[in-house]
Amino acid sequence: AELGWPAFDRRLLHESGELEGIGVPELIRLDEHGPEFLERLHLLQGSAHYFAGLRAAIGAAVAQGPAILVGRGANFLVAQPHALHVRLVADDGQRLERVMRRRWLAESAAAELIKAEDAARARFHRHFFHADWSEPTHYHVTCCSSRLPLPAIARALGGFLGNPGEVSP
């Protein structure tokens, strides 16, 4: 909202599912997860269909003009000359607090969820991009939301980009 650009987060997920005919429950299972054992043996193709739809949905989002693409390996799917790749991080305590509040979880359950989601994202990026998603050199900028609130980060990035309305995708 701060930049005036559309944001694609879960929207990418739903659009990828529509493009590939994958239902919401299956999308949730596949979202930012590497393929499971049977898929790696090419006996099931759910992850491959999800990834094809994701690639197409990201391409369609970028074709619309300036946008914010959240996660799902977008930094590997959109060429750097046409994008600013930003990684948002937070300290462990703030991540835990956010997950507890947003998901209504106890501390131990939230900690387990964070650990599981981080491991799933790591597998997803290793499988589809042959990359470590936490490697800082895959991004132009890394910002810590524990030290600077998200609206301030957005304003700083908007200032860096100039007038967001004039930036091409």
Side-chain angles (χ1 to χ4, degrees), residues 44-134:
L44 297 174
Q45 294 297 315
S47 289
H49 289 296
Y50 160 76
F51 188 70
L54 180 63
R55 183 184 290 271
I58 287 174
V62 169
Q64 293 176 24
I68 297 169
L69 308 175
V70 180
R72 293 164 183 82
N75 59 313
F76 295 103
L77 295 172
V78 179
Q80 286 198 20
H82 303 291
L84 177 66
H85 300 274
V86 179
R87 179 158 193 235
L88 293 175
V89 298
D91 65 42
D92 291 341
Q94 190 171 52
R95 288 182 77 197
L96 189 61
E97 179 185 313
R98 284 180 185 167
V99 171
M100 288 170 60
R101 185 177 63 245
R102 289 181 181 159
R103 304 271 183 103
W104 292 38
L105 293 173
E107 186 174 333
S108 60
E112 285 301 314
L113 179 63
I114 290 169
K115 184 178 175 182
E117 287 183 347
D118 284 353
R121 280 190 188 98
R123 283 190 310 276
F124 172 78
H125 284 80
R126 262 193 321 272
H127 179 78
F128 288 110
F129 306 111
H130 308 288
D132 176 357
W133 73 294
S134 66

Side-chain angles (χ1 to χ4, degrees), residues 12-24 26-27 30 45-57:
L12 283 173
L13 178 64
H14 293 290
E15 289 178 14
S16 67
E18 287 175 18
L19 290 166
E20 288 294 316
I22 303 171
V24 173
E26 182 70 356
L27 278 175
L30 295 169
Q45 294 297 315
S47 289
H49 289 296
Y50 160 76
F51 188 70
L54 180 63
R55 183 184 290 271

